[in-house]
Amino acid sequence: MEKKKTTQKSHPKPELDDPDSGLWNWIIHRGTAATFLCISLFAVLVRLGVSLHPYSGAGIPPKYGDYEAQRHWMEITTNLPVKQWYRNSTSNDLSYWGLDYPPLTAYQSYFHGIFLRFFDPQSVSLYSSRGYESYFGKLLMRWTVLSSDVLIFFPAVLYFIISYYYGKPNSQKRNIGWHIAVILLNPCLILIDHGHFQYNCISLGLTVAAVAAILSDRDVIGSVLFSLALNHKQMSAYFAPAFFSYLLGKCLRQQRPFVKVVKLGLAVVGTFAVVWSPYLYSAEAFLEVLSRLAPFERGIYEDYVANFWCTTSIVIKWKRLFATQPLKLLSLAATVSMCLPSMIQLILAPRKSSFLYGLLNSALAFYLFSFQVHEKSILLPLLPASLLALEEPSVFLWLAQNGLISMFPLLVRDKLVLPYVALYSLFSLLYYTPSGRQHERETCYLTLKVLLLGCVIALHVAYLTVTPPRRYPFLSEAIIMLLCFSQFVLVFLYANYRQWTVSKLSSPSTDKKKHL
């Protein structure tokens, strides 16, 4: 009783390390909610600023670009029955931006289409709305991305921050604000979603929420959330080996492992069944949708993406030497083999400390070696790198900078050079804030950074001002591709090494349950 009276009088702030301290009390007393809100408001303003600039395919007929693809999907889903969304017909010409993402993307397009139809019916009118680019229509489209970001990605980041820092020592809690900022102000994600125009914030937000749930030992919820991410964008499969290996390894170390595996399996199958239910009435309908998700006819690579197949094509002409079928098998074998070391480690020693590294390694393996990778796919390995920013700040900076550079040719085509430079500068200032990574500010390290920055600036200026030889029109893109590929490989090797060493340093006792 005396203890309770003393507590009521002094109102001490509950320690995060105290298991009796409630989660809500921690959020309030530590100021996490206020910090997150302030950074979120600034992140929204940055997104609004970027959205004022052009987007993919603006004013470029006949197919325009990603903006038109997203608008067209809203047009199709709001005007046709659900069974016809993925079916080629006179009303739905699949050669003109046919749906090529899983059903959850189609449902998202439907709800956004309803929103557009309420305020601007012409923007989703069947047949007549192709290439529709009215000013009001653009505002509505930009709003759908911003609202998706705020409603899905932002809360998922808060959930992750709470799960990640709950129980950590005071020395690490001081970096909460910095960590929130580097995740929410990820320049690559902002430029692609709010500049180029996509909805990666939804699938990535669901993935972040799934990671947070698993860090909180809510494995069933985490499995459901990741299944939703897979059903929004099939590229979320970049993370699947890490999720599968960690959860399997964890199940094998519990009582009644078979029951645990079945429980998680049912959660995954149930989620997929609900999402795919409109297309499960026949095998033909199911395969019709499935065939749209694998664009093998486009070849093993498109454009100048900084992965293995495109980079080595300078020497080995993969598309000329091999047909699509052997290339599919070759890329599959390469991707699986590169994922294996990370997967084996997570199965043998499923530690939370190595789970995030596993996500990074899995995503990088897919980016570097899988079939039909786009420049924008660097967002997937960059996500776990941002979640690891506190433990691996140099890796995050390394990957983020090279990810930005690898997308530079794409952003130049979209006329997004100004927001690119602004966000690159903002990210650099944010990373080197006084509360950031002070231990990295040694003289030699800074000298190297300045030299590298000078080279990067020279590369950008040369790309914009120097005309390449007529014989090699894509020389600048090839140089950027070679540079970034080499850096991605180095990050991949280092992250694999760190995953194994971190696992050895940690013990099962450090993975105490955190039911939030």
Side-chain angles (χ1 to χ4, degrees):
M1 291 297 290
E2 289 178 9
K3 233 178 186 180
K4 285 183 181 177
K5 286 179 182 177
T6 308
T7 304
Q8 289 173 356
K9 285 180 182 178
S10 56
H11 296 287
K13 294 182 180 180
E15 287 296 323
L16 196 58
D17 301 32
D18 181 7
D20 297 326
S21 174
L23 172 65
W24 182 247
N25 285 335
W26 174 70
I27 295 173
I28 296 300
H29 289 290
R30 289 290 170 189
T32 305
T35 301
F36 182 83
L37 181 60
C38 291
I39 296 171
S40 296
L41 289 173
F42 179 70
V44 168
L45 289 175
V46 171
R47 284 160 167 78
L48 287 171
V50 172
S51 67
L52 296 174
H53 292 79
Y55 46 80
S56 170
I60 306 175
K63 292 188 70 174
Y64 301 90
D66 278 19
Y67 174 93
E68 171 63 8
Q70 304 289 345
R71 189 215 57 77
H72 180 63
W73 295 345
M74 297 176 197
E75 169 198 341
I76 292 300
T77 53
T78 51
N79 288 285
L80 299 179
V82 65
K83 293 179 181 179
Q84 295 183 28
W85 290 354
Y86 291 88
R87 183 174 297 165
N88 193 52
S89 65
T90 54
S91 301
N92 184 20
D93 181 7
L94 294 182
S95 64
Y96 184 81
W97 297 121
L99 264 166
D100 54 6
Y101 285 114
L104 196 58
T105 288
Y107 305 148
Q108 167 232 312
S109 299
Y110 171 76
F111 286 112
H112 283 158
I114 294 295
F115 171 76
L116 259 69
R117 190 168 64 184
F118 181 81
F119 290 100
D120 188 16
Q122 288 184 328
S123 64
V124 288
S125 176
L126 194 62
Y127 307 121
S128 62
S129 61
R130 287 193 179 187
Y132 187 83
E133 293 183 308
S134 75
Y135 180 74
F136 187 52
K138 293 174 190 175
L139 288 179
L140 293 174
M141 289 285 286
R142 290 296 196 186
W143 173 254
T144 61
V145 181
L146 183 63
S147 60
S148 299
D149 215 344
V150 171
L151 294 174
I152 297 176
F153 188 73
F154 281 48
V157 171
L158 178 59
Y159 184 21
F160 168 78
I161 289 295
I162 294 168
S163 303
Y164 181 77
Y165 282 92
Y166 193 71
K168 284 193 179 291
N170 287 324
S171 58
Q172 294 185 356
K173 297 175 205 170
R174 287 193 293 268
N175 292 309
I176 287 177
W178 179 84
H179 202 174
I180 293 170
V182 295
I183 298 174
L184 290 184
L185 293 167
N186 177 345
C188 296
L189 179 59
I190 295 173
L191 285 167
I192 292 299
D193 275 16
H194 300 272
H196 180 83
F197 201 95
Q198 285 196 347
Y199 294 89
N200 295 288
C201 55
I202 297 177
S203 58
L204 294 180
L206 291 168
T207 301
V208 173
V211 171
I214 286 175
L215 292 180
S216 304
D217 291 303
R218 299 185 181 277
D219 297 340
V220 174
I221 294 174
S223 299
V224 170
L225 288 168
F226 182 61
S227 297
L228 290 174
L230 283 168
N231 278 291
H232 185 262
K233 284 204 171 184
Q234 61 267 40
M235 285 84 74
S236 299
Y238 281 33
F239 303 119
F243 274 94
F244 171 80
S245 303
Y246 175 77
L247 291 174
L248 177 62
K250 188 175 177 181
C251 289
L252 294 176
R253 278 154 185 78
Q254 295 181 357
Q255 293 181 346
R256 298 189 298 172
F258 179 75
V259 175
K260 180 70 173 176
V261 170
V262 169
K263 187 178 179 182
L264 294 178
L266 288 174
V268 172
V269 172
T271 305
F272 270 80
V274 170
V275 174
W276 284 72
S277 57
Y279 306 101
L280 298 179
Y281 63 91
S282 71
E284 182 186 358
F286 173 76
L287 293 174
E288 204 170 47
V289 179
L290 199 62
S291 65
R292 296 292 305 159
L293 309 185
F296 292 123
E297 71 282 353
R298 298 180 189 173
I300 195 165
Y301 62 85
E302 273 185 292
D303 221 334
Y304 282 82
V305 60
N307 77 339
F308 174 80
W309 306 110
C310 193
T311 305
T312 56
S313 68
I314 296 173
V315 179
I316 306 169
K317 305 302 179 184
W318 299 103
K319 291 183 178 181
R320 293 183 196 169
L321 294 173
F322 301 96
T324 300
Q325 187 60 30
L327 282 177
K328 285 195 292 185
L329 297 174
L330 192 59
S331 65
L332 176 62
T335 305
V336 171
S337 61
M338 291 300 164
C339 286
L340 273 178
S342 176
M343 293 177 68
I344 291 169
Q345 188 279 319
L346 285 174
I347 292 172
L348 294 176
R351 307 275 189 272
K352 291 175 184 175
S353 54
S354 56
F355 175 50
L356 294 177
Y357 287 95
L359 291 169
L360 174 58
N361 289 320
S362 172
L364 273 172
F366 270 78
Y367 179 85
L368 292 171
F369 297 100
S370 63
F371 198 97
Q372 188 54 225
V373 173
H374 294 273
E375 308 100 309
K376 296 160 282 191
S377 299
I378 194 60
L379 293 176
L380 290 122
L382 189 54
L383 180 70
S386 67
L387 303 183
L388 275 166
L390 180 68
E391 297 172 35
E392 298 288 351
S394 297
V395 169
F396 173 58
L397 177 67
W398 200 357
L399 195 60
Q401 287 184 334
N402 284 283
L404 266 173
I405 295 168
S406 71
M407 295 192 304
F408 185 61
L410 171 71
L411 298 171
V412 170
R413 290 197 298 272
D414 291 342
K415 299 178 182 178
L416 292 169
V417 175
L418 181 59
Y420 173 90
V421 173
L423 283 177
Y424 200 136
S425 303
L426 175 63
F427 173 74
S428 300
L429 289 171
L430 175 65
Y431 182 84
Y432 291 108
T433 52
S435 60
R437 317 270 47 89
Q438 294 180 4
H439 63 277
E440 293 181 351
R441 298 180 185 180
E442 298 172 2
T443 306
C444 293
Y445 187 86
L446 276 176
T447 303
L448 179 62
K449 285 285 179 185
V450 170
L451 288 172
L452 289 174
L453 180 61
C455 293
V456 168
I457 292 172
L459 180 64
H460 285 78
V461 172
Y463 184 88
L464 294 172
T465 59
V466 177
T467 304
R470 188 175 298 178
R471 189 177 176 185
Y472 304 106
F474 300 106
L475 180 62
S476 301
E477 285 84 352
I479 291 172
I480 290 175
M481 176 184 66
L482 285 165
L483 170 68
C484 296
F485 172 71
S486 63
Q487 302 308 301
F488 295 154
V489 169
L490 290 174
V491 172
F492 179 62
L493 294 173
Y494 173 78
N496 270 277
Y497 164 76
R498 283 292 292 160
Q499 182 179 337
W500 283 85
T501 54
V502 164
S503 176
K504 289 177 182 177
L505 291 172
S506 64
S507 62
S509 60
T510 60
D511 282 354
K512 55 187 177 182
K513 289 199 172 186
K514 300 188 288 185
H515 292 293
L516 303 184

